[in-house]
Amino acid sequence: MKFGLIGCGAIGASRASSLQNTDKASLLSVFDSDASRRNEFAAKYSAKAPSSYIEMLEDDDLDTVIVSTPPNLHREHCIAAFEAGKHVLCEKPLASSVEDCRAIVDAANASGKVLGTGYNYRFYPAVAKARELISEGAIGEIVNVKSFAGHPGGKEFTHQWVHDPEIMGGGALMDNGIHLADLLLHFLGSADETHGFSSDMIWNFGDSEDNGFILAKTPEGRIGTLQASWSDWTGYKFHLEITGTNGGIKIHYPPMMTVHITRPTGTAKKGKRRIYIFPLFQFKERLRSYLWTIEQSFIAEQTDFMQRARGLGGVGATGIDGLKAVELVNAAYRQRCTHEKAAKVAAAETSSRAAIG
Ligand SMILES: NC(=O)c1ccc[n+]([C@@H]2O[C@H](COP(=O)([O-])OP(=O)(O)OC[C@H]3O[C@@H](n4cnc5c(N)ncnc54)[C@H](O)[C@@H]3O)[C@@H](O)[C@H]2O)c1
């Protein structure tokens, strides 16, 4: 499959590099609004460097486009690619608003081409192992999932645009939290009730929360919790705890680890634990940094995507999955209680008490 890449930034670099190591895939052309970047990529990966994405999409040899521009541009780039008859693998979040996500999904349906959303955590071996254990019935029926993702946040941690809600569509919940929103729905199924809280007391980015929380319930009564944090000063991480009727699973990264706990039987007070540590990932990540792990997940995701484009099933996130995760976060936003809102509510209550006397 011949790929085009729109957006040659940090993630675009990992996508380009991982495509070189994805069987049956090649990088045909690259586009970035920054000409020096696209030329640099084109030279490094022996790819074409058209001067507009429209020109890229006119190329009949091109099968699939990876969109790795900032989220507020995903709608424009994905829809143009579908109109040109290409498959699209779009980086997370699918778009910065529910409305834009729906427009992208509609364009995919109208074109008959395949849309995938870049929720690459699904391909981390610790998550894949959990999926395998669950499908084998190792923990019985899933009852609840608790999840956390954190990094230090702040202006220096990443691009400025990540803190701009006009571009991102939110704060921590749309950034690292969106991966968890996808994994919660992946393991639990759709939520029919959602509550959310968020605060921006640490970095004061305004409408871009630095900590966001979601409590969600499915129609079957399964419950999920999520915290996305931009104030974990111990570094980048995520973990999930999945509780089932007959046991539990803990997913941890970094280091990459899955723990399977069986429900105790008889007089035992503790369940048995089996720990999976994925030595290759532990070793390679020490040598080559977290970028190695990201690339491995991209290779697996791109392979899965190509399989779906051939009409076969896969475990990667579809366009609908991309939409559902953004819907979940936005349902939480509609209910959010920031400290400013809490202060206003408190002020209103104080004045009404004063009026009552
Ligand atoms: N899967 C993951 O774990 C993960 C991690 C980080 C970021 N992301 C997502 O990847 C995407 C890109 O993030 P990034 O960190 O690479 O950002 P980045 O800022 O490093 O790269 C974005 C690139 O898009 C280019 N660009 C901007 N406007 C453009 C336009 N109109 N046309 C063409 N190119 C344009 C920029 O010049 C830049 O090179 C975002 O959607 C982000 O949310 C995914």
Side-chain angles (χ1 to χ4, degrees):
M1 182 175 273
K2 294 192 174 66
F3 284 78
L5 177 68
I6 305 182
C8 303
I11 288 298
S14 291
R15 286 287 179 192
S17 168
S18 63
L19 277 171
Q20 285 193 312
N21 297 310
T22 305
D23 204 20
K24 298 192 171 67
S26 63
L27 181 59
L28 181 71
S29 59
V30 293
F31 175 71
D32 195 289
S33 51
D34 180 332
S36 64
R37 267 191 204 175
R38 65 173 184 260
N39 290 332
E40 188 191 312
F41 267 55
K44 185 168 179 184
Y45 297 102
S46 307
K48 300 179 195 176
S51 55
S52 73
Y53 71 82
I54 306 288
E55 191 187 330
M56 170 193 271
L57 296 173
E58 282 167 355
D59 191 337
D60 289 338
D61 288 339
L62 188 70
D63 303 302
T64 296
V65 174
I66 294 183
V67 174
S68 67
T69 48
N72 63 324
L73 300 171
H74 291 180
R75 178 180 182 154
E76 174 188 339
H77 293 141
C78 290
I79 291 179
F82 284 124
E83 285 176 353
K86 314 298 180 192
H87 302 298
V88 176
L89 176 57
C90 180
E91 264 306 333
K92 65 87 189 168
L94 182 57
S96 51
S97 70
V98 171
E99 188 194 347
D100 282 7
C101 290
R102 288 206 180 115
I104 295 171
V105 169
D106 287 347
N109 289 340
S111 74
K113 294 289 167 180
V114 172
L115 170 61
T117 310
Y119 289 126
N120 57 314
Y121 282 13
R122 287 189 183 207
F123 295 93
Y124 277 38
V127 174
K129 187 74 207 173
R131 192 164 45 232
E132 183 189 313
L133 289 166
I134 291 162
S135 69
E136 286 167 357
I139 62 166
E141 291 297 316
I142 295 177
V143 175
N144 60 57
V145 180
K146 173 179 150 191
S147 66
F148 174 87
H151 63 60
K155 286 200 169 77
E156 294 75 31
F157 184 75
T158 183
H159 322 293
Q160 292 301 309
W161 60 256
V162 173
H163 308 124
D164 181 346
E166 294 295 315
I167 295 178
M168 202 64 202
L173 285 171
M174 286 294 276
D175 172 35
N176 43 354
I178 203 76
H179 281 293
L180 298 181
D182 175 59
L183 289 180
L184 278 191
L185 299 172
H186 186 48
F187 287 120
L188 289 173
S190 297
D192 68 346
E193 200 178 326
T194 308
H195 299 275
F197 298 92
S198 57
S199 64
D200 62 346
M201 295 174 177
I202 292 169
W203 298 111
N204 303 116
F205 289 132
D207 278 340
S208 177
E209 76 281 354
D210 51 51
N211 274 269
F213 298 77
I214 295 179
L215 180 61
K217 183 185 80 58
T218 71
E220 303 81 20
R222 298 189 185 110
I223 295 163
T225 69
L226 180 167
Q227 180 187 357
S229 165
W230 281 350
S231 58
D232 193 321
W233 293 296
T234 60
Y236 186 95
K237 69 176 64 64
F238 75 91
H239 44 84
L240 283 90
E241 290 184 23
I242 305 171
T243 303
T245 47
N246 284 327
I249 294 172
K250 293 180 197 254
I251 296 168
H252 193 275
Y253 175 79
M256 190 78 74
M257 201 190 304
T258 307
V259 184
H260 173 211
I261 308 112
T262 50
R263 183 176 173 160
T265 52
T267 53
K269 292 200 173 107
K270 280 185 181 174
K272 282 190 196 138
R273 291 192 320 161
R274 178 154 184 201
I275 302 174
Y276 301 86
I277 57 165
F278 314 103
L280 178 69
F281 277 76
Q282 313 262 12
F283 176 69
K284 288 276 194 180
E285 189 159 320
R286 272 172 191 251
L287 280 183
R288 310 248 316 256
S289 91
Y290 68 95
L291 290 172
W292 187 85
T293 300
I294 291 181
E295 279 194 32
Q296 297 312 300
S297 69
F298 283 175
I299 292 168
E301 184 173 57
Q302 286 150 192
T303 303
D304 182 270
F305 181 84
M306 289 193 292
Q307 198 174 295
R308 269 206 309 127
R310 287 204 306 272
L312 305 169
V315 294
T318 62
I320 296 288
D321 294 331
L323 164 66
K324 281 187 176 172
V326 173
E327 277 180 342
L328 181 70
V329 167
N330 278 271
Y333 280 155
R334 279 198 292 281
Q335 298 207 328
R336 77 177 146 191
C337 183
T338 63
H339 65 288
E340 282 165 51
K341 188 173 161 197
K344 277 185 201 149
V345 172
E349 281 175 358
T350 309
S351 69
S352 75
R353 269 201 298 275
I356 293 163

